[in-house]
Amino acid sequence: MISISEALGLIDQHAARLPAAPMAALDAIGCLLAEDVASDIDSPPYDKAMMDGYAVIAADLASGVAELEVIEEITAGNVPTKTVAPSQAARIMTGAPIPEGADAVVMIELTQKLDDGRVRIEAPGISVGKNIMPRASSLACGVTVLPSGKRLRALEVGILAEVGRDQVTVIPRPRVTVLSTGDELVDVTEMPGPGRIRNSNGPMLMAQIAAAGGSAEDLGIARDVRADLSAKIARGLEADILVLSGGVSAGVLDLVPSILAEQQVTQIFHKVNLKPGKPIWFGKRDSGGKSTLVFGLPGNPVSSLVCFELFVRRAIGLLAGLTANDLRSAEVELAEPFVHRGDRPTLFPARWGDATQRTATPLAWKGSADLAAMGAADLLLQFPAGDAEYRAGDRVSAIVL
Ligand SMILES: Nc1nc2c(c(=O)[nH]1)N[C@H]1C(S)=C(S)[C@@H](COP(=O)(O)OP(=O)(O)OC[C@H]3O[C@@H](n4cnc5c(N)ncnc54)[C@H](O)[C@@H]3O)O[C@H]1N2
Ligand code: MOO
């Protein structure tokens, strides 16, 4: 059986970044930019007033006081029609272009309109350039504003809009299909009959995929019969990643690995020395220039959750263009003494032990079928194999949920 780090190494080896594709900027939030985006304009496109007031010649105000002839009014969206000469001023609004001749703006609060069409200004210390944002001082035409590799957020969508881009080339979100397998499963909206349970893994995986930056598609529940499983697996293989839940251990109806083999999916590993999640299956199909990664996650809900956070999240990140491990890992201190028993490296649920999120308190839980106990979990503590007694304050590595 391979170790967690060997399994991660194999995923890194097989999860290649998806080819770049054009996309509407608004749909590309969270995606990695795959081109350098340059500005097609100067911003601001002209020397721009930053205050409502008067455009003046700073030298006219050398003494701090002046009475100037007002030659026109320039509002944002309009252009000046006159040149400001000595002893003249133009009324100007924030955002409007500075007229020829003027080299400073005095804010309206320092001025007093006179009856004869002039304005009295009392503004000591007005220097050239005061309250003016020079042309191209934010962006110059042709300059790269967003480099390839940048992850797009709302802020970047605003910058793209400023330079006239509503379409961009990005690494698209990996398409991930989810197939829940098992004769015992009923849909979330149904009351389970004898021997039945609700499909909790399917919706949980859909939510985990979305949170990890994938585009999730639910294929529903497949029954433990070859024909149903085969047809749904074939559909799932059209995606970049197929995530199967259940049917990967050693039960008589555990048909998944053999059906995957029939559909040209090559096994890369099966079983990892890990608790919970040991029976995890990983493989890949290369067909017609397209690769699909396949994860068979153990059916027990906590195993499914843990295997997703450890392995599938990483694969989604790599396909989406990340180079580093996207796991939200942390080093924490135990808030209280803890005894770990077990022959496998274990991911154990815990909650934050204090408000600073420095210490962690392990939770009471009943193993890999006890999803309800996980509701209180904020993180998964990683304990190495073997029985060991830990003291309060001992440092443990963790995955933040
Ligand atoms: N002889 C062995 N038996 C088992 C082994 C083993 O190595 N040898 N491994 C155990 C471990 S560890 C796990 S984990 C489970 C995983 O089994 P499968 O992946 O084959 O999953 P199933 O048998 O289909 O289901 C296990 C368990 O989970 C429930 N389940 C399944 N799907 C869902 C779902 N979508 N939502 C909620 N719950 C689900 C299912 O009802 C079972 O209770 O195997 C052990 N056995
Ligand atoms: O690994 Mo199983 O994942 O213990 O329930």
Side-chain angles (χ1 to χ4, degrees), residues 15 17 31 42 45 107 121 134 150 163 196 201 217 242 247 296 298 302-303 311 321 327 400:
R17 165 194 281 231
C31 294
D42 286 339
M107 61 201 284
I121 301 178
K150 188 99 180 57
V163 300
R196 300 294 189 96
N201 290 353
E217 189 187 330
L242 165 62
V302 182
S303 313
F311 303 116
L327 274 180
V400 181

Side-chain angles (χ1 to χ4, degrees), residues 21-37:
M23 199 181 288
L26 271 178
D27 294 334
I29 297 288
C31 294
L32 224 63
L33 197 59
E35 60 169 326
D36 288 335
V37 173

Side-chain angles (χ1 to χ4, degrees), residues 180-181 184-185 197-202 245-250 254 271 278-279 297-301 303:
S180 307
T181 71
E184 74 278 32
L185 302 178
I197 58 164
R198 288 202 179 98
N199 173 19
S200 52
N201 290 353
S245 154
V248 289
S249 64
D254 291 347
K271 298 200 171 143
K278 180 180 84 171
L297 304 188
N300 275 322
S303 313

Side-chain angles (χ1 to χ4, degrees), residues 274-279 300 303 344 368:
L274 154 74
K275 189 182 170 185
K278 180 180 84 171
N300 275 322
S303 313
R344 280 182 267 160
S368 58

Side-chain angles (χ1 to χ4, degrees), residues 97-171:
I98 303 293
E100 284 288 321
D103 59 16
V105 171
V106 179
M107 61 201 284
I108 194 81
E109 291 86 339
L110 304 177
T111 71
Q112 190 192 346
K113 206 173 166 191
L114 304 175
D115 292 337
D116 57 1
R118 290 184 309 148
V119 62
R120 179 179 166 78
I121 301 178
E122 285 185 40
I126 292 292
S127 52
V128 171
K130 180 83 177 171
N131 296 326
I132 294 176
M133 186 174 181
R135 174 178 183 157
S137 58
S138 172
L139 285 180
C141 186
V143 160
T144 297
V145 285
L146 295 174
S148 180
K150 188 99 180 57
R151 186 167 292 280
L152 298 182
R153 302 164 297 174
L155 158 60
E156 281 74 28
V157 173
I159 296 172
L160 287 168
E162 193 175 5
V163 300
R165 299 291 299 273
D166 62 352
Q167 298 279 320
V168 274
T169 306
V170 294
I171 308 297

Side-chain angles (χ1 to χ4, degrees), residues 39-395:
S39 179
D40 67 338
I41 47 155
D42 286 339
S43 178
Y46 42 77
D47 293 347
K48 166 167 148 172
M50 296 304 287
M51 292 283 179
D52 290 317
Y54 287 89
V56 299
I57 299 168
D60 279 345
L61 280 153
S63 72
V65 184
E67 291 185 1
L68 305 174
E69 179 197 353
V70 181
I71 56 169
E72 71 171 331
E73 187 174 286
I74 311 154
T75 51
N78 287 312
V79 289
T81 59
K82 294 180 179 160
T83 299
V84 176
S87 298
Q88 291 183 330
R91 178 82 172 90
I92 196 164
M93 310 303 160
T94 302
I98 303 293
E100 284 288 321
D103 59 16
V105 171
V106 179
M107 61 201 284
I108 194 81
E109 291 86 339
L110 304 177
T111 71
Q112 190 192 346
K113 206 173 166 191
L114 304 175
D115 292 337
D116 57 1
R118 290 184 309 148
V119 62
R120 179 179 166 78
I121 301 178
E122 285 185 40
I126 292 292
S127 52
V128 171
K130 180 83 177 171
N131 296 326
I132 294 176
M133 186 174 181
R135 174 178 183 157
S137 58
S138 172
L139 285 180
C141 186
V143 160
T144 297
V145 285
L146 295 174
S148 180
K150 188 99 180 57
R151 186 167 292 280
L152 298 182
R153 302 164 297 174
L155 158 60
E156 281 74 28
V157 173
I159 296 172
L160 287 168
E162 193 175 5
V163 300
R165 299 291 299 273
D166 62 352
Q167 298 279 320
V168 274
T169 306
V170 294
I171 308 297
R173 266 179 215 93
R175 275 187 60 214
V176 188
T177 41
V178 175
L179 181 59
S180 307
T181 71
D183 284 344
E184 74 278 32
L185 302 178
V186 300
D187 193 68
V188 55
T189 54
E190 288 177 44
M191 179 57 76
R196 300 294 189 96
I197 58 164
R198 288 202 179 98
N199 173 19
S200 52
N201 290 353
M204 180 165 65
L205 287 165
M206 292 291 291
Q208 284 180 292
I209 291 162
S215 164
E217 189 187 330
D218 191 7
L219 300 177
I221 299 167
R223 298 301 166 201
D224 290 325
V225 286
R226 290 198 91 80
D228 194 28
L229 271 169
S230 271
K232 287 181 174 148
I233 285 175
R235 228 185 105 200
L237 286 171
E238 290 166 16
D240 301 310
I241 302 178
L242 165 62
V243 179
L244 293 141
S245 154
V248 289
S249 64
V252 283
L253 291 179
D254 291 347
L255 302 167
V256 167
S258 77
I259 292 174
L260 289 171
E262 263 172 28
Q263 301 204 19
Q264 280 70 54
V265 182
T266 308
Q267 178 183 313
I268 295 165
F269 62 73
H270 185 195
K271 298 200 171 143
V272 174
N273 190 18
L274 154 74
K275 189 182 170 185
K278 180 180 84 171
I280 182 173
W281 194 100
F282 175 59
K284 187 180 185 184
R285 185 179 74 163
D286 291 304
S287 158
K290 176 174 172 52
S291 295
T292 303
L293 301 179
V294 180
F295 288 92
L297 304 188
N300 275 322
V302 182
S303 313
S304 172
L305 176 101
V306 166
C307 285
F308 184 95
E309 291 304 318
L310 254 183
F311 303 116
V312 187
R313 173 182 280 276
R314 184 180 183 108
I316 291 174
L318 291 169
L319 263 60
L322 294 183
T323 47
N325 186 354
D326 194 29
L327 274 180
R328 290 155 296 175
S329 55
E331 275 269 310
V332 295
E333 285 175 20
L334 287 175
E336 54 190 51
F338 180 71
V339 179
H340 172 251
R341 291 192 199 291
D343 56 359
R344 280 182 267 160
T346 302
L347 288 158
F348 200 96
R351 61 175 174 77
W352 290 118
D354 63 15
T356 64
Q357 305 194 338
R358 190 176 48 87
T359 68
T361 304
L363 293 168
W365 75 310
K366 297 180 189 66
S368 58
D370 187 9
L371 188 62
M374 296 290 293
D378 302 308
L379 60 174
L380 295 164
L381 301 179
Q382 291 186 282
F383 293 108
D387 297 349
E389 289 183 18
Y390 295 87
R391 288 164 307 184
D394 279 353
R395 296 188 73 77

